[in-house]
Amino acid sequence: MVMKMAKSSRYRLVYRYSDGSKKLFELDFEDGKHRSNFMLTEIDALTSRFPGDRELAKVLKLVSGDFNDGYFVIEYNSNGTVKPLEVLFNDMPNLGKLALAHLGESSISKEEASYYMNNFLNEIKDEKFLEFLFSKRYVNSYFRDVLNYYLRLKNSDEREAQNMLWEAKVKLQKEFYRYKTVRGILMGKKNYKAKIFTKSGELTILQRARIEHELNHPRKVQRRKVNKNGVLEGQMPLFDGSLYDKEMKRTRR
């Protein structure tokens, strides 16, 4: 299947086996091109079709080898350090639709950014939620600095601060143009509601990602009927979605 090459692809869908080894999800195309790095929206648009690791593994083994006795995680390199992200499954349909709408892109529209920012500013009245986002690194340090600057000005009675508030809000909204920022906030909100708290320093970032994933995606998942049209209809998916339908039919026999 033909697929356009996305710019600045740096995310990898990784399967981590129970023995500590791992396998990359990779694609080889008829024209000789090979891909193991993808845009975050590409990976999310794919994984958000499935209820969990098992269902995703059954399909991906048809196009990229065996995936068994493990779990998926997204990895990316930041300043020479490999960092993990929790995989998006179909328990967050709105985020999956957002990824699909911006497939192969890293930013969303101005209107969408404004919507998510306004919702976020209302939600952070709960200080524990904001603390949770920062401590679990659902947002980066630059976002934290921009947000803190905006909040300081907003809560200040000084006239000079109020004059600078508009500019600070514009800078904050630019952060919400980034799909990854919105994704992190929504993931953090879901996990915060699930009351997932781990003491800082006890676990590595990757271990925390694994624990959060286990709690949010139990292994025993009720299978759901898949729409044959698929979420990726009319787009350029990572693989042929019909493979999923065939595998599900074969499994039911």
Side-chain angles (χ1 to χ4, degrees):
M1 179 174 289
V2 178
M3 181 176 177
K4 65 182 179 180
M5 297 298 291
K7 298 180 180 179
S8 302
S9 302
R10 65 170 180 154
Y11 296 91
R12 293 184 170 194
L13 182 60
V14 178
Y15 195 74
R16 302 190 68 87
Y17 295 97
S18 58
D19 63 4
S21 61
K22 67 181 182 179
K23 175 181 175 59
L24 293 179
F25 169 63
E26 303 175 284
L27 287 178
D28 291 306
F29 299 92
E30 294 179 357
D31 59 3
K33 291 181 179 178
H34 173 84
R35 290 192 67 184
S36 58
N37 286 19
F38 303 93
M39 297 292 288
L40 186 55
T41 50
E42 291 180 306
I43 295 178
D44 282 353
L46 167 64
T47 63
S48 62
R49 301 182 65 185
F50 303 93
D53 288 303
R54 288 185 175 182
E55 291 77 9
L56 178 58
K58 286 179 181 179
V59 173
L60 295 195
K61 73 178 181 180
L62 300 178
V63 294
S64 188
D66 188 34
F67 297 91
N68 188 39
D69 191 25
Y71 65 95
F72 288 99
V73 68
I74 298 172
E75 292 182 356
Y76 67 102
N77 191 294
S78 178
N79 298 322
T81 302
V82 176
K83 297 184 178 181
L85 288 176
E86 180 182 350
V87 173
L88 171 67
F89 288 113
N90 67 6
D91 57 344
M92 300 183 69
N94 289 338
L95 185 53
K97 290 178 182 178
L98 185 66
L100 182 60
H102 299 281
L103 191 66
E105 302 171 351
S106 59
S107 59
I108 62 178
S109 71
K110 180 179 180 180
E111 292 73 21
E112 290 167 330
S114 179
Y115 168 78
Y116 285 109
M117 181 184 72
N118 290 334
N119 282 350
F120 175 73
L121 292 177
N122 287 328
E123 290 165 350
I124 60 173
K125 293 175 182 178
D126 180 355
E127 294 183 1
K128 290 185 178 180
F129 170 54
L130 189 58
E131 182 180 327
F132 180 78
L133 287 180
F134 293 161
S135 64
K136 304 304 177 187
R137 303 184 184 181
Y138 286 105
V139 292
N140 60 29
S141 59
Y142 184 78
F143 175 86
R144 180 186 61 197
D145 292 342
V146 172
L147 174 64
N148 286 339
Y149 178 63
Y150 167 79
L151 293 177
R152 283 199 304 270
L153 294 178
K154 186 176 185 298
N155 296 323
S156 175
D157 294 329
E158 297 182 8
R159 182 174 181 179
E160 183 178 354
Q162 294 305 308
N163 292 336
M164 299 168 63
L165 183 60
W166 181 85
E167 182 181 355
K169 189 172 183 178
V170 170
K171 288 184 178 180
L172 179 61
Q173 184 168 343
K174 285 183 178 179
E175 289 300 299
F176 280 87
Y177 289 160
R178 299 175 67 238
Y179 170 78
K180 185 186 175 185
T181 297
V182 173
R183 181 191 197 273
I185 290 172
L186 295 182
M187 282 284 195
K189 179 181 177 181
K190 178 194 69 172
N191 290 334
Y192 176 71
K193 287 184 175 180
K195 302 299 181 183
I196 299 176
F197 294 99
T198 56
K199 294 182 180 180
S200 177
E202 287 187 354
L203 301 171
T204 66
I205 299 174
L206 187 55
Q207 287 172 329
R208 288 203 301 268
R210 173 58 179 151
I211 290 174
E212 291 176 358
H213 172 74
E214 285 282 344
L215 292 175
N216 282 283
H217 308 290
R219 294 185 66 84
K220 293 183 179 180
V221 182
Q222 182 180 0
R223 289 180 180 173
R224 301 177 184 179
K225 185 177 180 180
V226 179
N227 189 326
K228 290 185 178 181
N229 293 328
V231 213
L232 298 180
E233 181 181 7
Q235 300 291 334
M236 289 183 155
L238 298 181
F239 76 105
D240 188 349
S242 63
L243 294 174
Y244 178 48
D245 301 325
K246 292 178 181 178
E247 174 65 18
M248 291 295 284
K249 289 179 180 178
R250 185 182 69 79
T251 304
R252 291 193 184 105
R253 291 176 183 174

